[in-house]
Amino acid sequence: MPDLLVLKMNGVTMEVPAGTTVAVAAMLACMPCRTSVSGTPRGPLCGMGICFECRMTINGTQHGRSCQILCEPGMDVRTDE
Ligand code: FES
């Protein structure tokens, strides 16, 4: 059984297994990573840090490539900021 850690996704508290990327946490929360300028929900495409479709605000830092960042306890993740 993997260790669980707690973070906030758009202000909602959630638990994810240790080793989960922020992009996967967003998918588990059924939230898009961001919304395009035309209003289309966007999510991870490449999963390896190239496409930038998974940009999110992580601990106040904008445009983090969430597919490359592991969740940490107490992390504050925001979409569309
Ligand atoms: S999914 Fe492509 S950079 Fe994250």
Side-chain angles (χ1 to χ4, degrees), residues 23 43-55 65-68:
L45 181 63
C46 71
M48 57 186 186
I50 295 173
C51 72
F52 286 71
E53 290 289 350
C54 64
R55 296 187 309 266
R65 286 175 288 171
S66 63
C67 70
Q68 300 297 298

